[in-house]
Amino acid sequence: MNLRQPNANEATQTFNRSKSVSPMSGLCTRCVDGCRGNCEIFKSSFRGREVIYPGPFGTITAGADKNYPVDYSHLNIQGYAVGAWGLPEGEEPNPDTAIFPRVDTQTEYGWEKKIRMKVPIFTGALGSTEIARKNWEHFAAGAAISGITLVCGENVCGIDPGLVLDSNKKIKMSPEMDRRIETYKKYHQGYGEILVQMNVEDTRLGVAEYVSSKHNLDTIELKWGQGAKCIGGEIKVNSIERAVELKKRGYIVTPDPENQAIKAAYKDGAIKEFERHSRLGFVTKEGFLEEVDRLHDLGFKRVTLKTGAYSMVEAAMALKYCSEAKIDLLTFDGAPGGTGMSPWPMMEEWGIPTFYLQSLVYEFAEKLSRRGMRVPDLAMAGGFSSEDGVYKALAMGAPYVKAVCMGRALMIPGFVGKNIGKWIQENDLPKTVAEYGRKPEEIFVCYEELAQRFGNEMKNIPLGALGIYTYAQKFRTGLQQLMAGSRRFRVSTIGRQDIMALTEEASKISGIPYVMNAYRETAEAILDE
């Protein structure tokens, strides 16, 4: 079975001329001299490195489509006809008390000082990509009113056009970071939080010091990696002056905007954009523990870590080091991941897929627990988009996994809400939306609910935020139904016994009982009575 056919994909805006394609190479079975395109090799022959990336940058997000042998679709959720776990203490389970709208979907994370969220999901790191910047007000306000955590990703200060550095080349002023934090705080309702993520360049620029002193943030996140790529964060810029500016700020910029040949190619119009790259980090136990102590000394109440789809060695390092450092939340981001900008071949072909990674993480967490070490609160990321997948991740990782980090799935409602507003203004609503009405209060089922809560402020809430809130309410209701079906009325009562593996391979990888063995002993005991 071929898991991925290379050389043409909608993400890279390429396609094969022929319907007959060699599975391994992705080349047309009959490659014609004179073909007018447009496979990746054809396009690479004149656009070169541009074809590595999904595009166009700034208007799309991309997710890899390699079809792994085993994923969460190989699990199903158990349902029961008896019992109810997680009802308020002292309450008798019966058909009138154990109803699905009473399911509590709240979760919490933190070593000592806990953060509660209304649903067990939070945003992926929305950093320096253009798609994050230009949609920030929708994402931030949406996460805040939905009661979930928002991660402001890496390099936001470093690429800020308004960045001002002091004499020590540390951040003195970053209007873009200020905007991002203040937008979330404006609508924060007491659930979730905004946390800022740091990489190598962010640490050098003094991001932690800036957001601590100016904004009094409680939480900061260290980043080892992500699921979409195993190199540093990337963006594109279309101005050679901007490329030079970012290079002078300490970033890797390719092609080199100060090279004479590159300058000539840019003038000719052949080179239209430049890539800004972050550096690779180098993790040591001593360095990590020292950095966590430094951040606490700066005043942060919580420190979190996000790591990527690295080998099981790095997974073990993350768990062990975070246990010793008393990290408040450790997020594992599995392959293939989603992105605003990552190399497409890397997205497709690198890293441990999320299902396999979570299986390893659970195995290692159990080993630490048996040795008397406390396992930090965990989150999984990498390919989740709906409440059923989140339920499976929570169950598979119980009792350690507290939430799921979602990237593109939480961005899309922001896009939709924003565009509905634009289409209303232009009198250009598509039929898929217009069938429900022509005004926001007619289109959005949660509009009046939020209007009642926010009053006159409702007119200032961006419609993208309304889209995220409406999606979160759908997610919450769907999760309540799934949890009620397995008789779990609090998130903390979900366990590994509440899912089953549909294939023996999935059972072998995850340790989740095969469907033909799950609860067999209990069932046999009933038959033998």
Side-chain angles (χ1 to χ4, degrees):
M1 180 179 66
N2 182 274
L3 305 182
R4 180 223 172 194
Q5 184 174 292
N7 194 41
N9 196 282
E10 211 259 329
T12 54
Q13 302 175 85
T14 55
F15 54 86
N16 289 98
R17 175 193 54 78
S18 173
K19 294 181 180 179
S20 300
V21 178
S22 299
M24 182 174 170
S25 68
L27 301 176
C28 296
T29 54
R30 190 173 67 99
C31 187
V32 179
D33 183 2
C35 172
R36 301 174 74 89
N38 190 38
C39 73
E40 287 186 7
I41 292 179
F42 177 93
K43 192 172 180 180
S44 300
S45 304
F46 53 97
R47 296 313 301 169
R49 62 191 300 128
E50 289 181 8
V51 186
I52 292 174
Y53 297 98
F57 175 76
T59 62
I60 61 102
T61 64
D65 57 2
K66 186 169 184 175
N67 192 12
Y68 298 118
V70 178
D71 61 19
Y72 292 86
S73 70
H74 289 232
L75 302 177
N76 259 24
I77 298 167
Q78 291 279 9
Y80 313 112
V82 295
W85 295 268
L87 290 172
E89 188 174 350
E91 195 166 286
E92 181 78 18
N94 61 54
D96 294 317
T97 60
I99 56 176
F100 90 79
R102 298 192 67 204
V103 170
D104 185 356
T105 61
Q106 293 186 27
T107 190
E108 63 179 19
Y109 64 84
W111 193 272
E112 290 179 350
K113 300 176 176 66
K114 300 287 186 180
I115 286 290
R116 294 188 65 80
M117 299 192 297
K118 288 192 174 181
V119 284
I121 55 176
F122 61 97
T123 74
L126 304 170
S128 59
T129 59
E130 180 65 10
I131 200 113
R133 184 200 63 79
K134 69 184 184 182
N135 292 287
W136 183 260
E137 63 176 355
H138 304 278
F139 300 154
I145 65 177
S146 300
I148 61 175
T149 288
L150 171 73
V151 183
C152 179
E154 60 190 339
N155 295 312
V156 171
C157 292
I159 72 155
D160 185 353
L163 177 68
V164 177
L165 300 177
D166 63 19
S167 58
N168 297 314
K169 295 188 176 181
K170 301 292 185 182
I171 300 167
K172 183 178 181 180
M173 183 174 69
S174 177
E176 177 61 14
M177 179 61 79
D178 298 343
R179 177 182 78 95
R180 294 202 182 196
I181 293 173
E182 289 162 4
T183 303
Y184 183 87
K185 283 187 171 182
K186 179 180 179 181
Y187 294 103
H188 186 237
Q189 302 286 296
Y191 289 84
E193 63 175 341
I194 182 171
L195 55 91
V196 172
Q197 189 181 85
M198 292 201 309
N199 64 7
V200 174
E201 286 83 4
D202 294 317
T203 303
R204 291 178 177 178
L205 286 170
V207 168
E209 290 84 349
Y210 183 76
V211 300
S212 175
S213 62
K214 181 164 185 177
H215 295 284
N216 199 30
L217 285 192
D218 290 332
T219 309
I220 196 153
E221 180 162 278
L222 297 171
K223 181 177 181 180
W224 287 5
Q226 64 188 88
K229 54 179 173 281
C230 56
I231 57 176
E234 302 165 300
I235 64 166
K236 289 186 177 184
V237 295
N238 55 18
S239 159
I240 195 167
E241 293 80 15
R242 179 75 164 135
V244 171
E245 178 185 45
L246 293 177
K247 181 181 177 182
K248 289 180 177 179
R249 289 183 183 178
Y251 286 107
I252 301 164
V253 178
T254 57
D256 184 353
E258 296 181 309
N259 181 286
Q260 293 303 316
I262 301 303
K263 288 182 178 180
Y266 178 78
K267 185 177 180 180
D268 291 341
I271 290 179
K272 302 180 185 299
E273 53 194 9
F274 298 84
E275 304 150 19
R276 185 236 63 202
H277 300 269
S278 298
R279 287 167 171 76
L280 298 175
F282 283 79
V283 178
T284 66
K285 181 178 179 180
E286 295 75 16
F288 178 71
L289 296 177
E290 288 174 4
E291 179 65 358
V292 173
D293 287 341
R294 184 183 77 86
L295 294 171
H296 281 306
D297 289 342
L298 286 175
F300 291 103
K301 296 177 182 177
R302 287 174 294 274
V303 179
T304 66
L305 174 69
K306 181 179 182 181
T307 188
Y310 298 122
S311 78
M312 70 169 67
V313 174
E314 283 79 6
M317 288 165 57
L319 279 165
K320 183 73 178 294
Y321 299 175
C322 286
S323 176
E324 294 187 20
K326 299 181 180 179
I327 287 294
D328 292 275
L329 182 68
L330 167 57
T331 301
F332 286 92
D333 190 6
T339 188
M341 180 176 167
S342 294
W344 183 248
M346 186 175 287
M347 290 182 68
E348 294 274 53
E349 298 295 346
W350 99 279
I352 301 178
T354 309
F355 185 89
Y356 300 78
L357 182 60
Q358 183 170 7
S359 300
L360 283 171
V361 168
Y362 176 79
E363 178 188 342
F364 293 168
E366 284 285 278
K367 287 184 178 180
L368 287 184
S369 182
R370 287 194 297 267
R371 293 171 185 169
M373 296 186 70
R374 178 175 167 182
V375 177
D377 290 340
L378 305 179
M380 292 304 304
F384 296 99
S385 65
S386 59
E387 59 270 19
D388 50 296
V390 170
Y391 185 106
K392 293 173 185 180
L394 294 171
M396 189 170 155
Y400 310 111
V401 172
K402 308 299 182 183
V404 164
C405 174
M406 292 167 54
R408 297 200 303 154
L410 276 171
M411 297 171 72
I412 292 168
F415 300 153
V416 173
K418 175 194 71 174
N419 287 318
I420 286 175
K422 175 175 174 283
W423 293 328
I424 289 173
Q425 288 182 343
E426 297 171 350
N427 195 29
D428 189 31
L429 280 170
K431 291 181 180 179
T432 50
V433 179
E435 64 177 300
Y436 300 101
R438 297 231 163 235
K439 298 184 293 185
E441 52 268 42
E442 297 171 339
I443 295 168
F444 292 94
V445 295
C446 294
Y447 186 93
E448 295 297 343
E449 176 190 338
L450 289 174
Q452 186 177 40
R453 190 203 302 184
F454 289 99
N456 290 333
E457 180 61 28
M458 186 65 191
K459 64 179 181 293
N460 297 321
I461 296 177
L463 289 186
L466 189 52
I468 292 173
Y469 180 85
T470 306
Y471 168 81
Q473 295 312 298
K474 173 265 180 186
F475 179 97
R476 178 175 177 268
T477 301
L479 184 59
Q480 286 178 313
Q481 293 171 340
L482 292 170
M483 290 174 64
S486 55
R487 308 299 176 113
R488 308 296 172 185
F489 284 80
R490 283 200 315 270
V491 169
S492 59
T493 62
I494 297 173
R496 284 169 66 83
Q497 72 277 8
D498 297 320
I499 51 177
M500 52 189 155
L502 301 180
T503 63
E504 291 180 328
E505 182 70 10
S507 178
K508 180 181 177 182
I509 293 166
S510 66
I512 297 299
Y514 179 49
V515 59
M516 300 307 292
N517 298 326
Y519 287 111
R520 177 169 287 278
E521 289 185 8
T522 304
E524 295 283 2
I526 292 173
L527 296 175
D528 292 339
E529 287 180 355

